[in-house]
Amino acid sequence: INLEPKLEGALIGVSIRSRKTGQILYEHLGNTRLHPASNMKIFTCAVGLEVLGEEYTFPTELWIDGDIVGQRLEGNLYIKGKGDPTLLDKDFEQLAKIIKEKGIQEISGNIIGDDTWYDSIRLSQDLNWNDEHYYYGAQVSALTASPNEDYDSGTVMLTISPGKSEGDTPEIVLTPKTKYIKVLNKATTLETNHEEEEADIMVTREHGSNIVVVEGTIPKYSASINEWVAVWEPTEYALEIFCRSLKKNGISCS
């Protein structure tokens, strides 16, 4: 067998079984423990479709534990997530409008994010700390948010544009607009006459925090670039977006 040189030393495990009997039809290193590849998503999706069906949707619920007196909720408001990874800023806006339509203008209690539909384990045991800030290393939560319709849940998108002059710090716009992360902008705008010069930007997040560091260079005439960073504790991230939506709709809350 002539192997691709890049695969020298690599291990490939295959185990094929009969769906009806469980009998092994073919295997190669079938009992060797390996990291699952991305094609495992195919099986996960197939099982989800089989168990949940094509029409299943992941609900997000609003609950209260008090009474509505006039225009005031005398109690707490809960937003309960049940695993929807597609919640956008506009969806939290719609949830806030539902509260407004109930005639509530003030909430005396707390706004509570309920993520107990899933367990509290946020990351897989073997995820490298160096990968935590990437979109594919985002933490798991039953209540989370996505920046756009790519649905990279648990992340914030940073749109980075060059400054006006050489040495200026680039402009950074967050999607969604959130104060949940703090951006330390250490990048600089580069003066260059080479049209092929590309941005060399690195975005990292300090472990255990939501301090995001942007470093590197971006050419003065470069187009804007998008970078995604996974947040620490996505439940609180979603809750911050929801609370901002409530206040935007004129609902007073602590």
Side-chain angles (χ1 to χ4, degrees):
I1 300 175
N2 294 321
L3 294 177
E4 168 67 35
K6 292 182 179 179
L7 294 179
E8 286 188 17
L11 295 177
I12 300 174
V14 178
S15 180
I16 302 174
R17 296 173 179 261
S18 168
R19 179 179 178 183
K20 293 182 179 180
T21 67
Q23 178 184 0
I24 295 177
L25 304 178
Y26 173 79
E27 73 172 352
H28 173 73
L29 300 181
N31 292 319
T32 301
R33 295 181 179 181
L34 303 173
H35 284 286
S38 290
N39 55 14
M40 279 295 293
K41 299 172 186 175
I42 298 173
F43 297 100
T44 304
C45 290
V47 172
L49 286 170
E50 176 69 22
V51 175
L52 301 175
E54 295 181 14
E55 303 301 322
Y56 182 83
T57 57
F58 295 87
T60 302
E61 301 171 349
L62 295 174
W63 293 77
I64 62 174
D65 66 0
D67 298 319
I68 300 175
V69 181
Q71 297 177 325
R72 177 183 172 91
L73 170 60
E74 298 286 354
N76 300 315
L77 171 64
Y78 298 79
I79 176 170
K80 183 177 181 65
K82 290 190 173 182
D84 187 354
T86 69
L87 287 174
L88 303 172
D89 194 18
K90 65 180 181 180
D91 297 312
F92 290 99
E93 181 81 12
Q94 185 60 37
L95 289 169
K97 288 180 179 178
I98 292 173
I99 299 300
K100 184 177 182 180
E101 290 169 359
K102 296 295 182 181
I104 299 173
Q105 293 187 1
E106 183 180 359
I107 299 172
S108 66
N110 297 314
I111 314 298
I112 300 171
D114 184 346
D115 60 10
T116 55
W117 195 253
Y118 290 169
D119 60 32
S120 59
I121 299 175
R122 295 293 188 231
L123 297 167
S124 61
Q125 293 182 350
D126 58 354
L127 182 71
N128 192 309
W129 280 17
N130 291 333
D131 290 338
E132 283 186 8
H133 65 278
Y134 291 113
Y135 69 92
Y136 53 80
Q139 298 182 10
V140 176
S141 172
L143 179 62
T144 186
S146 293
N148 59 17
E149 292 183 355
D150 281 344
Y151 301 127
D152 294 310
S153 60
T155 71
V156 178
M157 185 175 77
L158 286 69
T159 300
I160 304 170
S161 305
K164 295 181 179 180
S165 304
E166 181 181 14
D168 288 350
T169 55
E171 179 186 359
I172 300 177
V173 177
L174 304 183
T175 303
K177 294 180 180 178
T178 178
K179 294 182 180 180
Y180 192 64
I181 65 172
K182 179 182 179 181
V183 178
L184 300 182
N185 189 354
K186 298 183 178 181
T188 56
T189 302
L190 187 67
E191 183 75 46
T192 178
N193 294 322
H194 301 288
E195 294 184 1
E196 68 276 8
E197 189 80 34
E198 297 181 353
D200 183 18
I201 294 291
M202 181 171 64
V203 178
T204 57
R205 175 177 53 76
E206 295 182 7
H207 174 71
S209 78
N210 280 303
I211 299 176
V212 175
V213 181
V214 179
E215 299 176 291
T217 59
I218 184 170
K220 179 178 177 180
Y221 299 106
S222 171
S224 299
I225 62 171
N226 293 326
E227 297 284 346
W228 284 258
V229 62
V231 304
W232 186 266
E233 282 297 338
T235 299
E236 296 178 16
Y237 167 48
L239 190 59
E240 192 270 344
I241 298 172
F242 179 53
C243 289
R244 178 169 48 80
S245 297
L246 289 171
K247 292 177 181 178
K248 182 179 177 181
N249 280 274
I251 301 170
S252 175
C253 54
S254 56

